[in-house]
């Protein structure tokens, strides 16, 4: 009986391996879905549409961009975490995965265990921007303005626990009012109109508005100046410490997706991110193509999770 059980188990494993092998050999043989957990027009959406086009060309299958905004990006992230682990539903994630996990109680998914890091796509600094009509020309003047107007100074945020939005007021001695939005694009009309005092947002979302003169850039995060805004100082140069982190974007799949599918998708995305037209398109948006394969993206993501956990403890953050 024991021998028969072992033989059946071995046969079952062999059959499963054969089925997985067949699935990988055909993958992908139907449309892929890239879930964007924000509204259209924001930083995550912008890079996704460029990557989706390139990926579709490579794999010869339609790649559908599926915007699922809401709950600080948790609706879209949870949708992917609960999706079938077959490689056809992927999440385009960013720093929100780390700070949501660190600051939000009772999430229906765990970014550390329910999602598999597949490939990093790109990176860019965050940019501190103000309405062009606001009478400030630099960070020092913005800080002075907010201290004179403590009851009306406000900022737009996508995710209540974003470290940049917490560290900036703390390290400048200001207390602006936080206004939450489902995506950066939905906040821009209020910022341009002056209903918000400032935002610290990814470069790809604000760069076109800075170039058009609707917004004024005061500083960028990171350790060096941003190629697209060479005359704009870093936060450190502007006198604000501890704001050197930058934004990034990456693709994730549901946990338990077979490793061969993860590796195959990772390989395809590495090639997409090295295509000259993709690099050029992202460069114009203010995004640097910065691909990492699954083997390197995983430790990078784990480091991000720890970093945001540290910030959450430092600021005693719990959103709900």
């Amino acid at each position: 009986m024991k021998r028969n059980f072992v033989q059946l188990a071995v046969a079952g494993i062999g059959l499963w391996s054969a089925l997985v092998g067949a699935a990988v050999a055909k993958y992908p043989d139907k449309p892929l879905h890239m879930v964007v957990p924000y509204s259209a027009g924001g930083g995550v959406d912008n890079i996704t549409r460029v990557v989706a086009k390139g990926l579709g060309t490579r794999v010869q299958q339609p790649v559908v961009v599926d915007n699922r905004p809401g709950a600080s990006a948790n609706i879209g992230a949870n949708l992917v975490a609960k999706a079938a682990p077959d490689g056809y539903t992927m999440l385009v994630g960013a720093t929100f995965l780390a700070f949501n996990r660190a600051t939000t109680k009772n999430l229906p998914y765990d970014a550390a265990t329910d999602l598999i890091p597949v490939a990093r796509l790109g990176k860019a600094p965050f940019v501190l921007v103000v309405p062009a009509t606001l009478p400030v020309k630099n960070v020092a003047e913005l800080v002075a303005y907010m201290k004179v107007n403590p009851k009306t100074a406000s900022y737009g945020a996508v995710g209540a626990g974003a470290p940049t939005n917490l560290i900036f007021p703390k390290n400048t001695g200001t207390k602006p009012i936080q206004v939450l939005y489902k995506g950066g694009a939905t906040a821009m009309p209020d910022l341009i109109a002056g209903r918000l005092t400032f935002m610290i947002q990814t470069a790809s979302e604000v760069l076109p508005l800075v170039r058009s003169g609707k917004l004024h850039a005061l500083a960028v995060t990171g350790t060096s100046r941003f190629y697209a805004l060479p005359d704009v100082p870093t936060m450190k140069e502007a006198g604000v410490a501890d704001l050197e982190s930058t934004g990034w974007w990456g693709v994730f799949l549901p946990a338990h997706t077979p490793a061969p599918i993860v590796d195959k998708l990772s390989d395809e995305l590495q090639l997409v991110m090295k295509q000259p037209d993709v690099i050029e398109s992202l460069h114009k948006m203010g995004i640097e193509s910065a691909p990492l394969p699954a083997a390197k993206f995983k430790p990078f993501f784990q480091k991000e999770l720890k970093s945001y956990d540290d910030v959450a403890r430092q600021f005693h953050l719990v959103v709900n």
Side-chain angles (χ1 to χ4, degrees):
M1 181 69 71
K2 184 176 181 181
R3 179 180 296 177
N4 289 340
F5 176 79
V6 172
Q7 289 173 337
L8 287 172
V10 171
I13 293 171
L15 177 60
W16 171 248
S17 298
L19 290 172
V20 170
V24 173
K26 294 190 300 179
Y27 175 81
D29 62 354
K30 61 182 181 180
L32 297 160
H33 287 256
M34 299 188 86
V35 174
V36 175
Y38 292 111
S39 53
V44 180
D45 184 73
N46 290 339
I47 188 171
T48 300
R49 292 184 185 277
V50 173
V51 174
K53 182 180 178 181
L55 181 61
T57 299
R58 276 209 55 82
V59 301
Q60 295 296 296
Q61 289 290 340
V63 180
V64 180
V65 177
D66 187 358
N67 293 89
R68 297 295 184 101
S72 297
N74 288 315
I75 289 177
N78 184 53
L79 184 152
V80 176
K82 301 296 192 294
D86 56 9
Y88 287 94
T89 303
M90 64 191 88
L91 173 71
V92 181
T95 52
F96 69 83
L97 286 171
F99 68 69
N100 283 356
R101 181 176 183 270
T103 63
T104 307
K105 279 187 175 181
N106 302 317
L107 282 177
Y109 71 98
D110 186 340
T113 58
D114 295 336
L115 295 168
I116 298 174
V118 176
R120 190 178 71 178
L121 304 175
K123 62 180 182 179
F126 298 105
V127 184
L128 168 61
V129 289
V130 297
T133 55
L134 194 71
V136 302
K137 296 180 181 178
N138 53 51
V139 172
E141 291 183 4
L142 173 62
V143 171
Y145 175 88
M146 289 195 290
K147 289 182 176 179
V148 172
N149 300 278
K151 294 184 179 180
T152 58
S154 62
Y155 67 95
V158 182
T164 50
N165 292 331
L166 300 168
I167 294 172
F168 182 76
K170 177 179 181 290
N171 288 0
T172 56
T174 58
K175 295 182 179 180
I177 300 165
Q178 182 186 80
V179 183
L180 289 174
Y181 292 85
K182 290 184 177 180
T186 60
M188 289 304 121
D190 285 345
L191 182 62
I192 293 169
R195 291 186 286 272
L196 296 172
T197 307
F198 73 92
M199 281 192 75
I200 303 176
Q201 202 61 18
T202 52
S204 65
E205 293 187 61
V206 300
L207 193 57
L209 297 171
V210 172
R211 288 169 172 165
S212 68
K214 295 179 179 179
L215 297 178
H216 183 48
L218 302 185
V220 299
T221 65
T223 57
S224 60
R225 294 199 177 194
F226 182 38
Y227 70 84
L229 298 169
D231 296 328
V232 176
T234 64
M235 286 284 193
K236 185 175 182 179
E237 289 175 328
V240 186
D242 302 325
L243 281 173
E244 297 182 347
S245 63
T246 57
W248 54 266
W249 297 263
V251 169
F252 295 79
L253 286 172
H256 309 301
T257 301
I261 289 179
V262 173
D263 293 340
K264 188 169 184 178
L265 181 59
S266 180
D267 291 343
E268 292 292 354
L269 287 168
Q270 300 310 294
L271 294 172
V272 169
M273 301 313 297
K274 293 175 182 177
Q275 293 176 356
D277 59 330
V278 171
I279 293 172
E280 182 180 0
S281 295
L282 296 183
H283 192 271
K284 290 178 180 178
M285 292 181 190
I287 298 173
E288 178 187 350
S289 178
L292 284 179
K296 293 184 178 180
F297 185 38
K298 181 178 180 180
F300 171 88
F301 183 57
Q302 290 172 337
K303 185 177 179 181
E304 286 287 289
L305 292 176
K306 182 181 183 305
S307 175
Y308 281 82
D309 279 341
D310 292 343
V311 170
R313 284 193 294 271
Q314 176 187 351
F315 286 90
H316 308 288
L317 295 177
V318 176
V319 174
N320 58 45

